[in-house]
Amino acid sequence: MTYTIDKNTFENYFITNESFKHNSGNYFKLFPYVTSPNVDFSKLESVLGQVLCKIQKIEPEIKAEEDIINDIVSETDVELGLEEEFREVIKQLFFESSGKLRPLNLMMIEQNECHESSEKRLAEYLGDVLGDAEVLQASIESAKSSLQSASNVLESLLYSKLTTRTANVASRNNYFRVVDGLHKKFEDDFSYILSSDARTRENLLKLFEFYYFSYTAQTFLQLNRMFDGERERNVPLYFSLEWEATKIHGKYITEGWNILQETIQDAYSHAVVLEMLNVNNNDSQMDYIAIRKYLEEHPDENTALKSRIDELCKLYADHISDCPLLDSVIQEEVSEDTEDSINLLYRLVKTQFDNTSRGAASGRYSDKFEDYCMQFLKNRGRNGYVLNISEDTLIFLTKVSIKENEKMKLSDVFKEFESRGVFLEKEVKEQVADYYERLNLIEKKSDSGDAKYVKRIL
């Protein structure tokens, strides 16, 4: 593979009427966000069916409530005079008051399509970055097979009316998975939750809500490290417990929401820079970590690539008319490394966003995720907002950590939390242990902390 940036394509794409246009999301798909105001990314209920269909490369053949009920009635031997009561039973069992199917299982969830372009982008993003499609599809197929074999006659009749077709999938760039430290865990948790209808109803939405937050947060944190990023490692991000008091020196104050919020605010700058770095004549997408690896493997290409990046820096500065500060930035001395030239390009973009009206668009882009984060935050007065684990989230994390095991070492449970992006300092871990004690979930082999086990939550 050769990594190049095509200058002519770059100019045609970014420069219009001698001014620079901040495009993103075409050559390099990082996040599903746009700079338009009033686009809601705070709820995932409406996109869940679309995600499942995207993974399977199918589309639901949507039928009206009345049509489905008519089809079921026509194939059922209903006692004379009881047809309307039978219709009402079907409606109450399988449909909401709005006429949509109840999200009781996979086959019913995937029939609830979304229509807004923002929802479709979010569904594509979740389907691309959280796990490998082949692995997720195998879990869905297994769950569907189990569902159908365990269904009663009426349920089976309903499922026979819920049809799908192969999606007409146009060629597109997938969203680029920046961090790999979470996707194996997501695949395992996805399979575990789908292996039970009850877990699917209770936890499938929560699974996507949690991993949407955790993956995106880890991506922001690694992007902020640029060429020092680590694809396989979760950056420690500390949480407090919702029902416990916080202390001003806790890690959830110093290494929690405050550092994540700073990186969120720079999201659009990274999106634009990575779009610039991927205007090339190759099909592959390259983030900072991939470029670092490429340069390590092809050191002889450093000089030529650095020269091209320097040209892009000058093109950018020459076509920005509303930010005099760029004149001093472009004159900063950089080393002979391509990475330093890319850092300069990033500083140029960020300087313009931080000091001009363009910053409003940048803010609208990052606000999409910041608004979503509110469900994982709690206002702690003078300590401000702190990343927060509710009782419901703690139970969820404990379930997916232990899964079908009868018990797990308490220390290993906390390691499982960290593998999903949730870090707790010592004092908070002790509070979690106390909570488990109150629920009678702790089994002690001795008084040693290492000998404490957490029992499976049914």
Side-chain angles (χ1 to χ4, degrees):
M1 180 190 75
T2 301
Y3 173 59
T4 61
I5 299 175
D6 186 83
K7 184 181 177 183
N8 289 332
T9 303
F10 183 95
E11 291 188 71
N12 292 333
Y13 178 55
F14 282 109
I15 298 173
T16 304
N17 298 325
E18 293 302 310
S19 62
F20 197 92
K21 185 177 180 180
H22 296 90
N23 295 313
S24 65
N26 292 309
Y27 286 93
F28 187 90
K29 300 185 77 169
L30 181 61
F31 300 116
Y33 312 128
V34 293
T35 58
S36 304
N38 304 321
V39 178
D40 185 14
F41 280 84
S42 62
K43 304 294 183 183
L44 296 193
E45 294 97 327
S46 59
V47 309
L48 196 53
Q50 186 90 4
V51 176
L52 296 173
C53 288
K54 190 266 175 200
I55 291 168
Q56 301 170 84
K57 297 183 174 63
I58 60 174
E59 295 174 349
E61 295 182 320
I62 302 299
K63 299 176 183 177
E65 173 190 22
E66 194 65 25
D67 292 337
I68 294 175
I69 293 176
N70 285 340
D71 287 346
I72 293 174
V73 171
S74 68
E75 294 186 24
T76 308
D77 186 13
V78 183
E79 186 176 337
L80 189 64
L82 296 180
E83 184 177 290
E84 287 306 313
E85 289 185 29
F86 182 62
R87 286 177 176 274
E88 188 62 28
V89 168
I90 296 172
K91 184 180 293 188
Q92 293 297 323
L93 283 175
F94 300 128
F95 292 91
E96 298 178 341
S97 58
S98 64
K100 292 176 61 176
L101 282 164
R102 295 184 183 278
L104 300 178
N105 55 55
L106 284 178
M107 298 183 70
M108 298 173 77
I109 292 171
E110 69 186 19
Q111 288 288 318
N112 290 325
E113 62 179 352
C114 55
H115 302 282
E116 297 292 334
S117 59
S118 59
E119 293 176 330
K120 292 179 180 179
R121 289 197 307 274
L122 180 56
E124 288 182 351
Y125 173 73
L126 295 174
D128 286 345
V129 303
L130 294 186
D132 293 339
E134 295 80 5
V135 176
L136 301 180
Q137 187 169 354
S139 295
I140 293 174
E141 290 173 355
S142 176
K144 281 185 175 181
S145 177
S146 298
L147 174 66
Q148 290 174 322
S149 64
S151 300
N152 60 41
V153 174
L154 188 56
E155 290 170 339
S156 296
L157 194 53
L158 171 72
Y159 302 153
S160 71
K161 309 307 173 190
L162 308 181
T163 56
T164 62
R165 58 178 176 267
T166 301
N168 182 18
V169 182
S171 176
R172 69 174 181 88
N173 282 338
N174 285 353
Y175 284 91
F176 187 93
R177 185 190 296 152
V178 173
V179 296
D180 282 337
L182 292 163
H183 84 277
K184 291 298 183 185
K185 286 297 178 183
F186 176 81
E187 291 168 357
D188 290 345
D189 294 349
F190 185 70
S191 177
Y192 167 69
I193 285 175
L194 294 192
S195 65
S196 160
D197 288 344
R199 284 197 291 266
T200 299
R201 286 192 297 273
E202 295 170 8
N203 292 308
L204 184 60
L205 176 61
K206 181 172 288 294
L207 176 81
F208 279 95
E209 288 176 336
F210 172 77
Y211 274 97
Y212 170 37
F213 167 80
S214 192
Y215 168 81
T216 308
Q218 287 295 322
T219 298
F220 283 129
L221 293 167
Q222 293 292 0
L223 286 173
N224 190 57
R225 302 179 69 198
M226 295 189 75
F227 297 101
D228 292 325
E230 298 174 85
R231 211 177 293 288
E232 302 288 342
R233 174 179 173 268
N234 291 332
V235 177
L237 198 59
Y238 284 87
F239 291 69
S240 66
L241 294 178
E242 185 176 57
W243 62 90
E244 297 289 346
T246 56
K247 295 183 178 180
I248 195 168
H249 299 300
K251 284 188 175 181
Y252 39 72
I253 304 295
T254 59
E255 299 178 51
W257 172 242
N258 61 330
I259 63 170
L260 177 57
Q261 187 178 33
E262 289 178 9
T263 66
I264 292 173
Q265 293 166 355
D266 294 334
Y268 192 50
S269 297
H270 288 297
V272 170
V273 169
L274 287 168
E275 186 81 355
M276 294 184 199
L277 296 176
N278 282 275
V279 178
N280 54 45
N281 56 9
N282 297 319
D283 294 330
S284 60
Q285 298 182 82
M286 303 277 280
D287 69 344
Y288 304 124
I289 299 171
I291 292 173
R292 180 193 69 206
K293 183 178 179 182
Y294 180 84
L295 290 170
E296 289 171 352
E297 294 173 350
H298 304 85
D300 55 317
E301 296 185 24
N302 179 73
T303 301
L305 189 54
K306 171 185 164 51
S307 177
R308 181 54 53 88
I309 302 298
D310 289 342
E311 289 179 339
L312 303 188
C313 290
K314 188 173 188 311
L315 274 172
Y316 185 84
D318 287 347
H319 289 86
I320 298 298
S321 58
D322 63 346
C323 188
L325 290 174
L326 294 191
D327 292 340
S328 59
V329 177
I330 195 67
Q331 294 173 17
E332 294 177 8
E333 289 189 14
V334 295
S335 72
E336 295 302 313
D337 292 330
T338 299
E339 292 177 5
D340 279 354
S341 292
I342 292 175
N343 273 304
L344 174 61
L345 180 62
Y346 173 78
R347 290 198 299 278
L348 288 167
V349 174
K350 181 170 167 52
T351 297
Q352 191 206 1
F353 288 169
D354 287 349
N355 294 281
T356 69
S357 60
R358 190 61 186 169
S362 177
R364 290 193 296 269
Y365 183 93
S366 58
D367 283 349
K368 306 296 189 297
F369 184 67
E370 190 163 345
D371 291 344
Y372 179 79
C373 287
M374 292 305 298
Q375 63 186 290
F376 295 94
L377 297 173
K378 184 173 181 178
N379 192 331
R380 295 292 190 162
R382 63 174 182 171
N383 289 334
Y385 282 101
V386 175
L387 286 173
N388 172 72
I389 296 179
S390 66
E391 186 173 0
D392 192 36
T393 300
L394 179 58
I395 292 294
F396 166 76
L397 286 171
T398 306
K399 284 182 177 180
V400 295
S401 295
I402 300 176
K403 293 188 170 65
E404 301 289 2
N405 298 307
E406 288 302 316
K407 59 189 174 183
M408 178 179 286
K409 272 190 177 182
L410 178 61
S411 58
D412 289 339
V413 171
F414 293 135
K415 289 177 183 177
E416 289 290 326
F417 285 10
E418 292 178 3
S419 71
R420 292 166 176 82
V422 173
F423 289 75
L424 307 173
E425 61 183 310
K426 182 180 179 181
E427 185 177 88
V428 180
K429 288 179 180 178
E430 291 171 351
Q431 294 167 357
V432 171
D434 290 342
Y435 176 78
Y436 289 151
E437 289 265 19
R438 293 197 297 272
L439 294 184
N440 197 29
L441 294 176
I442 291 291
E443 179 180 311
K444 295 181 181 179
K445 298 295 184 181
S446 71
D447 291 333
S448 167
D450 289 338
K452 286 184 178 180
Y453 288 79
V454 183
K455 293 182 283 189
R456 176 164 64 100
I457 299 177
L458 300 176

